[in-house]
Amino acid sequence: MNNTHASSHKKPHVLIVGGGFAGLHCAKKLAEADVKITLADRHNYYLFQPLLYQVATAALSPADIAAPIRKILRNQQNTSVVLARVLSVDVNKKRVKFQHGEVAYDYLVLATGATHSYFGRDDWEEFAPGLKTVDDALEIRQRVLLAYEAAEWEDDDAARQAELTFVVVGGGPTGVEISGALQEIAAQTFPKDFRHIDTTTARIILIEAADRLLMALPEKLGEQALRDLEQMGVQVRLNSMVTDLREGEVQIGDEILPAKNVIWAAGVRGSKLAETLNVELDRQGRVLVADDLSVPGHPEIFVIGDLAHITDKKTGRPVPGVAPAAVQMGRYVASSICSRLAGKKHPDFAYRDKGSMATIGRNRAVASIAGQNFTGFFAWLIWSLVHIFPLIGFRSKLSVVFSWVLSYFSLNKSVRLITGRSKSQVRKAMGLVNMETTDCEKSTEKNIHG
């Protein structure tokens, strides 16, 4: 990247780092503004994260929930899109350092989001991937599908059960949703696909350190989610904490649980970019922003989305890291920049809570909207509609609707492809490493049940 973007341009230069909910909606809101916009992201696509778990559980393809940023903004003449990884911010020189060069700005909007938090045990990531990106979802999908393939070859009962034990850490919306989806795969999708294992014996275990699920929702909805998961067959362990993770094992307190598959949904931390600002951060690494979402002492820098920590004046609690909040922040900052350019005062940011919800399984969901609680099929229908309309592009909406309808009536997950793995890794998962073809043929009766 060359150093062509500078504040010497006649039009003020707005640099937006991050093309997620917050960054993209900020850019779109500035479409008619008399500014020059550069949107930089390390990925070339916008991702609808709330449906990422359905990619991880083979219900949807990545293309169903993602779209190229350049395509979304190609008709917005005041905006340029660059693919780049940001390294640091020099707040004094008003420059952002990327891997290929530096970019100057008049206004900087940081929307780089959050990533997984392992509470000081980053070594656990190798054994328990989180779910924040398309790569994460594909990694989890590979692990889940390979687990069943490995179990098909396994003739030891204990080893086979370990392959078919899936531990989800964290009882928030992501943990609840992926647990329910994994249980549906085991009980409804796979039974007819495998000949030598009973997939309904798979154990889906959801671990939550608190005394209930879905802490961000009303307590009654958390209790309903617990009942629904247990009725489906998910084993929920409340007041439980993971104390160690090792290859093939999860330690919960003093108990050691053999499990080959662990998914992390227990915590998040702000992007490390926040550390380069040299400003106050909260315990999750998020920037403590002012009431107008600017960085204290630097009114030309805004932090929005999951990277921002701001208190909701109505509730006294931090604004949640959810998509509607990120969208509102992005649009607010765009309006604030326009007001500043016009010499007008802009009101402080005020979060409008549009409700919270989580899907649990087929015809099962919980939702809290405008102070009203909904459960069961009606909540599931609301959740489905809410998650279809924000998808960008007619093809995406149509594809998702088709996949959901097909899955609803056939109980099938249509994207059960093991991709991105080397042949040796797949062979290892199937118990075929260091085995010649002839040996494999001779060992078939030994390794396959029946």
Side-chain angles (χ1 to χ4, degrees):
M1 180 188 300
N2 59 37
N3 197 15
T4 58
H5 303 297
S7 56
S8 60
H9 285 294
K10 293 181 180 180
K11 294 183 178 181
H13 181 218
V14 180
L15 175 57
I16 302 173
V17 182
F21 287 109
L24 183 66
H25 281 84
C26 181
K28 293 178 69 175
K29 184 73 172 179
L30 288 168
E32 303 300 325
D34 190 25
V35 296
K36 178 181 177 63
I37 304 168
T38 301
L39 191 153
D41 196 290
R42 62 194 180 103
H43 299 295
N44 77 328
Y45 56 83
Y46 161 82
L47 175 67
F48 190 73
Q49 277 193 335
L51 292 180
L52 198 56
Y53 84 96
Q54 295 209 3
V55 176
T57 53
L60 295 176
S61 165
D64 293 332
I65 63 169
I69 297 174
R70 291 186 184 277
K71 180 180 179 181
I72 298 171
L73 298 175
R74 65 185 176 186
N75 294 324
Q76 190 164 317
Q77 298 302 314
N78 65 348
T79 303
S80 298
V81 177
V82 294
L83 182 68
R85 182 186 296 274
V86 64
L87 300 179
S88 62
V89 178
D90 189 330
V91 297
N92 296 318
K93 294 182 179 180
K94 294 187 178 181
R95 302 181 78 85
V96 175
K97 183 178 181 181
F98 293 90
Q99 60 190 117
H100 300 304
E102 295 184 348
V103 178
Y105 61 84
D106 293 296
Y107 292 98
L108 175 63
V109 182
L110 298 179
T112 50
T115 186
H116 328 298
S117 173
Y118 292 86
F119 308 110
R121 293 297 305 270
D122 291 346
D123 56 308
W124 288 357
E125 185 172 9
E126 177 184 356
F127 311 114
L131 187 58
K132 285 292 182 182
T133 68
V134 168
D135 290 338
D136 294 335
L138 295 178
E139 170 70 13
I140 291 172
R141 188 181 77 182
Q142 291 160 357
R143 293 190 182 204
V144 170
L145 298 178
L146 284 172
Y148 284 93
E149 297 294 345
E152 181 83 340
W153 281 91
E154 187 57 66
D155 58 357
D156 179 79
D157 289 342
R160 185 169 63 255
Q161 187 61 71
E163 292 285 0
L164 295 180
T165 298
F166 301 87
V167 176
V168 180
V169 185
T174 299
V176 167
E177 290 173 348
I178 202 165
S179 296
L182 288 173
Q183 182 62 40
E184 287 186 335
I185 287 174
Q188 301 174 0
T189 304
F190 280 167
K192 294 181 180 180
D193 286 8
F194 292 88
R195 298 291 180 266
H196 307 289
I197 57 172
D198 180 0
T199 64
T200 63
T201 62
R203 299 175 66 194
I204 316 300
I205 302 173
L206 176 59
I207 299 174
E208 168 55 45
D211 59 358
R212 71 179 183 91
L213 301 175
L214 301 174
M215 295 294 291
L217 273 70
E219 186 173 355
K220 289 184 178 180
L221 296 185
E223 294 172 353
Q224 182 62 49
L226 174 62
R227 287 193 294 270
D228 284 342
L229 287 171
E230 290 182 335
Q231 288 173 5
M232 293 171 66
V234 176
Q235 300 175 28
V236 181
R237 299 192 181 189
L238 301 177
N239 300 304
S240 299
M241 186 175 296
V242 173
T243 53
D244 201 5
L245 282 176
R246 296 177 292 272
E247 180 68 37
E249 291 182 342
V250 179
Q251 185 167 337
I252 307 170
D254 296 328
E255 178 189 1
I256 296 178
L257 177 68
K260 292 289 187 70
N261 307 280
V262 185
I263 299 171
W264 192 264
V268 297
R269 61 174 175 81
S271 164
K272 289 187 176 182
L273 179 64
E275 299 173 5
T276 71
L277 297 174
N278 295 318
V279 296
E280 187 177 1
L281 308 178
D282 68 6
R283 294 178 60 184
Q284 285 76 45
R286 298 175 299 179
V287 178
L288 296 171
V289 297
D291 291 338
D292 63 351
L293 300 179
S294 67
V295 173
H298 294 278
E300 76 283 358
I301 303 177
F302 298 92
V303 178
I304 56 179
D306 290 349
L307 190 59
H309 178 122
I310 185 170
T311 300
D312 184 350
K313 294 180 180 179
K314 295 180 181 179
T315 64
R317 297 192 298 268
V319 172
V322 294
V327 171
Q328 290 176 36
M329 288 182 185
R331 292 174 175 170
Y332 168 85
V333 165
S335 297
S336 179
I337 290 174
C338 291
S339 294
R340 292 191 187 188
L341 293 175
K344 299 178 180 178
K345 183 177 176 59
H346 202 69
D348 292 340
F349 174 73
Y351 172 58
R352 300 182 301 279
D353 188 356
K354 295 185 177 181
S356 302
M357 59 190 68
T359 183
I360 301 162
R362 186 171 183 262
N363 296 340
R364 299 173 187 264
V366 293
S368 177
I369 302 173
Q372 299 295 316
N373 296 336
F374 304 96
T375 62
F377 175 78
F378 187 64
W380 178 82
L381 185 61
I382 294 174
W383 181 94
S384 300
L385 294 174
V386 166
H387 285 75
I388 286 176
F389 286 116
L391 291 174
I392 291 179
F394 176 76
R395 179 195 174 280
S396 294
K397 292 182 176 67
L398 189 62
S399 178
V400 170
V401 171
F402 178 78
S403 296
W404 282 354
V405 171
L406 180 64
S407 177
Y408 184 86
F409 289 104
S410 68
L411 306 179
N412 184 42
K413 304 290 183 181
S414 59
V415 197
R416 302 200 299 275
L417 306 178
I418 300 175
T419 58
R421 292 274 185 167
S422 67
K423 291 182 179 179
S424 62
Q425 288 175 305
V426 175
R427 286 171 63 83
K428 180 179 179 181
M430 296 172 62
L432 297 177
V433 174
N434 298 325
M435 191 180 295
E436 298 296 334
T437 302
T438 54
D439 292 332
C440 177
E441 292 171 350
K442 294 176 182 178
S443 302
T444 300
E445 291 300 322
K446 177 181 178 180
N447 291 325
I448 298 184
H449 318 301

